[in-house]
Amino acid sequence: MQTPDNLRFTRTHEWVEPAGDGTFRVGITDHAQAQLGDVIFVELPQPGVNVAVGERFGTIESVKAASDLFAPVGGKVARRNDVLAERPDLINSDPYGAGWLLQIEDAGELPELLGKEEYEKLISHAGEGN
């Protein structure tokens, strides 16, 4: 599993990174996509919708299960990755690149998020009970 150094993570397995244009790009982690299996559908909000930190903003479905997606930062949805409507498998093949979900603007104050080491510790502990 890969965990990039430049991202911040949530305990619900979303990642966030500054996109460099005042927005924050959001996706799910490599660990999350591996747990889900083959992604077959993603429901995302329209641009212009406001989301709050920790709020459900969409759903991701795989051959195994459906899971809610939660916002790691709050603000207005600037863009969504519409390519995923036709190619949801990009989440499996490139979760930190082409498989991104949203870009959020007006994030304001950023919440406490996990760094790479903290996130890796979280997922390694999650596997101990299995």
Side-chain angles (χ1 to χ4, degrees):
M1 301 272 162
Q2 48 176 322
T3 310
D5 291 329
N6 62 320
L7 304 179
R8 292 287 181 241
F9 305 90
T10 68
R11 294 185 180 282
T12 55
H13 310 288
E14 289 84 15
W15 58 263
V16 62
E17 73 172 330
D21 61 358
T23 66
F24 291 83
R25 187 170 295 165
V26 174
I28 68 165
T29 65
D30 192 25
H31 172 78
Q33 70 78 24
Q35 295 297 307
L36 282 168
D38 294 335
V39 175
I40 57 172
F41 177 76
V42 183
E43 173 192 68
L44 299 172
Q46 293 288 333
V49 170
N50 287 309
V51 295
V53 173
E55 177 181 271
R56 180 191 168 281
F57 70 80
T59 305
I60 187 166
E61 293 181 25
S62 72
V63 294
K64 292 182 183 178
S67 297
D68 289 333
L69 298 163
F70 298 96
V73 295
K76 184 170 62 172
V77 175
R79 293 176 200 88
R80 66 182 190 177
N81 189 350
D82 288 328
V83 173
L84 298 177
E86 297 294 322
R87 295 281 320 275
D89 60 297
L90 289 172
I91 294 169
N92 296 114
S93 63
D94 193 9
Y96 301 119
W100 64 276
L101 303 173
L102 302 176
Q103 280 186 253
I104 297 175
E105 63 185 4
D106 304 328
E109 192 172 324
L110 296 179
E112 292 281 328
L113 297 168
L114 305 174
K116 174 183 178 166
E117 291 175 7
E118 295 166 306
Y119 183 71
E120 287 178 341
K121 189 174 182 180
L122 172 77
I123 60 178
S124 70
H125 283 54
E128 291 176 358
N130 294 338

